[in-house]
Amino acid sequence: DGAAYLQSIVGFNQIKNGGANGDVTFRGMFGSRIKILTDGTENLGACPSRMDNPASYVSPESYDKITVVKGPQTVQYAHTGSAATVIFEREPEQLTSAKPYRGQASVMLGSYGRLDQNVEAAVGDETKYARLNANRSIADSYQDGAGNTVPSDWKKWNADLALGWTPNEDTWVELKGGKSDGEAVYAGRPMDGSKFARESLGLHVEKKNIGDVIKKVEAQVDYSYNDHVMDNFSLRKFNPADGMSMPMASNVARRTLNARVAMTQDWGKLQLISGIDSQKNEHTKRSGSLMSPYQNKARVGDMDFESYGAFGELSYAFNDQHKLVTGARVDQAKIDNLATDTERKETLPSGFVRIESELAEHVKTYAGLGYVERVPDYWELFSTKYHQSTGTTFADLENEKTAQFDAGYQYEQGAFKSWASVYAGLIQDYILVAYTPTGSMGRLEAKSRNIDATIAGAEAGVAYQLTDQIQADISAMYAWGENTTDHTALPQIAPLEGRFNLRYVQEKYNLGLLWRVVAAQDRTSYREGNIIGYDLEDSKGFGTLSLNGTYNIQKDLDLSVGIDNVLNKNYAEHLNKLGSSGFGYAATEQFNNIGRNYWARISMKF
């Protein structure tokens, strides 16, 4: 899924629930501070505890390109991500009458019943095409390095169909629709996800080279409906634990409509991208039990959300070496709390300014300052209580305000490459979630409040082509955060991590080694974190080694094999959730990651 894929990119990590559908973190930031878009639209998920977070609906192999904008350094999308904006994109098909088709397919087998099947196929010609993306993935519960079974099995499938029209090289129209569903057992939750149904429909239109100044006009409208069920009996043997005294099920849904229009104008050294966008989503819920099924009950709305935004992003080239990029946007958001018949209206400004330079033929640099305001999201408003009362957080939480400096460079000359990115930010009214015992049972309850915070960190890497066949690279990432209100560490931040890659490449085959080293994390804050995880104690460091190889059987046909965690290390990531007591985990015990894992994948193109 999207979280597992993004973790391979330096700077990202994930809060894991079990084997699938982890929740992405970037530079220690979580939730709606990370904007995740697929083909320019947003799918937010419905679960109040983020079982079906946005990344869980992303199948990365279905996309052609992933763009990561670090920090508040773009304003082109609604409610800019303060930590990062991640964009998964598909490119328009470019088929010809001489070869009116193309495609790729793969099958992967792995330890613990893992089976992935993926196919992407397109047919058409110069003026039209149809494209199918479909995949299916299943896995059983895995074993950790000590041989203990970790409940984590899942089944998922995804299918998307796109119909495109390209009457000329400057015009593109695409109508697309998709469906998906799945189920997942969660070692770190008292309930499992027994349904992750998605339906989506979208229309995208793009026209280029309209005139000497107007270079592109693009418009899109996208609809999605997420229908999610969680329960504690259909995928596990019911156990009255974690505060659940009887078999229970909860069905939540979110219906979302996104729309966007943008125009690119060019006056030589000056380029302007401007536009408007909107989002409307409504959230409903219902619950039941074995004796009183949720299917027999009506859905009840608890939230309606509307936002409208306008933006402009300007680029000015001073000369061939230096360029100024700046932008501003404003969003008007309205949130209706249907349970209390109250509403919240917010005006949210954001903007940035950045200098990009090519100081020499081999060096590129950038430095930018950005600002963004974020309204508390659905999970912060409806899944927590305000820390000073047992009432709603709806009117109490302030908007989060982030001012952040980002800078970096890329260097490449001959066999040597290096890069680095650094950041430092001040966050006013950071939304922090604390878990406090309540009631006679002392069950932990999530309560939110605003604090002020300071964040900083860096990612860096170097690569060297040792010989024509051997290449190596080393990368590292570090994130730091301080709660300046309480003078404590910001919680749920992944520790310092380094990665070493070594690869041997021949014409017909290649061999690879990945050594991942993670330091201990001693900057923690007891029982504080976010809507799905919190710090309990310091974590230990660990290292894992993975091996892989690929053999080209014939043109467009490859066989890949690998062993992950070769040394069968028994370890838990710092951000892993605590294990559910329904599976026999102690109250302070995190579940472990997968032990030694074998896999083989055959892929073909046609």
Side-chain angles (χ1 to χ4, degrees), residues 538-556:
D538 296 349
S539 61
K540 298 177 181 179
F542 63 87
T544 61
L545 181 67
S546 300
L547 303 174
N548 63 80
T550 299
Y551 179 72
N552 179 236
I553 300 172
Q554 63 182 48
K555 187 177 184 295
D556 295 328

Side-chain angles (χ1 to χ4, degrees), residues 1 10 58 104 121-122 150 158 181 189 211 215 220 321 323 331 334 347 396 418 435-436 441 460 513 527 579:
D1 57 26
V10 178
V58 176
Q104 57 186 25
V150 177
N158 182 86
D181 202 352
R189 293 180 182 270
K215 296 302 179 183
Q220 65 183 83
Q321 287 78 40
K323 181 170 71 171
D331 290 289
K334 181 170 80 74
T347 300
D396 298 313
S418 69
Y435 288 77
T436 58
M441 299 294 292
L513 174 151
R527 285 183 178 172

Side-chain angles (χ1 to χ4, degrees), residues 300-353:
V300 177
D302 61 341
M303 183 206 71
D304 280 346
F305 176 92
E306 290 184 32
S307 73
Y308 301 91
F311 66 88
E313 195 163 296
L314 184 71
S315 300
Y316 179 74
F318 295 106
N319 49 48
D320 293 340
Q321 287 78 40
H322 303 288
K323 181 170 71 171
L324 172 71
V325 185
T326 186
R329 74 169 289 134
V330 62
D331 290 289
Q332 184 70 46
K334 181 170 80 74
I335 308 171
D336 291 312
N337 186 337
L338 302 180
T340 60
D341 195 27
T342 55
E343 69 177 22
R344 175 173 179 157
K345 292 184 178 180
E346 302 289 352
T347 300
L348 306 166
S350 57
F352 74 95
V353 59

Side-chain angles (χ1 to χ4, degrees), residues 15-62:
I15 303 173
K16 299 193 70 172
N17 313 288
N21 296 352
D23 218 335
V24 172
T25 72
F26 181 71
R27 292 174 165 177
M29 299 292 104
F30 166 86
S32 58
R33 300 179 185 98
I34 305 169
K35 190 78 162 178
I36 295 180
L37 303 168
T38 54
D39 289 326
T41 192
E42 187 174 33
N43 186 348
L44 289 168
C47 182
S49 58
R50 290 180 66 95
M51 273 190 191
D52 69 331
N53 65 79
S56 66
Y57 289 104
V58 176
S59 177
E61 281 196 284
S62 299

Side-chain angles (χ1 to χ4, degrees), residues 431-451:
I431 298 173
L432 181 72
V433 178
Y435 288 77
T436 58
T438 58
S440 60
M441 299 294 292
R443 187 180 179 185
L444 296 181
E445 183 177 61
K447 293 188 176 181
S448 54
R449 63 187 175 109
N450 293 111
I451 62 163

